[in-house]
Amino acid sequence: MLHDMAEVDALIFELSDLQRAYAENAAEKLIQTCCRSSEAFQYLQDRVCDVAIPERARNHIHLIIAKIRTWMSLHHAYGWAESNYACSFGSLS
């Protein structure tokens, strides 16, 4: 669990990178981490209001959370068998 939280923090830091390629890679890794670990997803939701995180990164975090919640809603609505939140999304752009 602590490893997931440390990984989330590192990826949040990368989201604020001004070079778009690094931010997109970090966003994809963050989605994958949060999809496989509900603790990481909860931690990400807790961090979204942290004013120490740059606004650019917080905007990405809001999008990531919305995508994961949407996937979880579809997952629940259609009764698909759970697989540790194993979801897959495209890039944030």
Side-chain angles (χ1 to χ4, degrees), residues 80-93:
W80 296 329
E82 277 202 42
S83 58
N84 294 329
Y85 297 110
C87 53
S88 176
F89 298 104
S91 67
L92 290 175
S93 44

Side-chain angles (χ1 to χ4, degrees), residues 15-45:
L15 279 177
S16 61
D17 188 25
L18 295 178
Q19 293 183 2
R20 188 176 177 102
Y22 293 124
E24 286 183 11
N25 288 336
E28 188 63 34
K29 289 178 186 177
L30 192 54
I31 289 170
Q32 294 303 316
T33 299
C34 290
C35 284
R36 78 169 181 269
S37 169
S38 59
E39 291 88 7
F41 182 57
Q42 183 60 48
Y43 182 68
L44 181 66
Q45 291 180 97

Side-chain angles (χ1 to χ4, degrees), residues 38-82:
S38 59
E39 291 88 7
F41 182 57
Q42 183 60 48
Y43 182 68
L44 181 66
Q45 291 180 97
D46 294 342
R47 292 293 313 271
V48 75
C49 296
D50 188 347
V51 295
I53 298 172
E55 184 177 355
R56 175 181 169 85
R58 282 195 313 246
N59 290 339
H60 281 296
I61 293 169
H62 282 291
L63 290 173
I64 291 167
I65 290 171
K67 286 182 177 195
I68 293 172
R69 284 181 181 166
T70 300
W71 184 88
M72 289 169 61
S73 294
L74 289 172
H75 185 269
H76 180 71
Y78 289 105
W80 296 329
E82 277 202 42

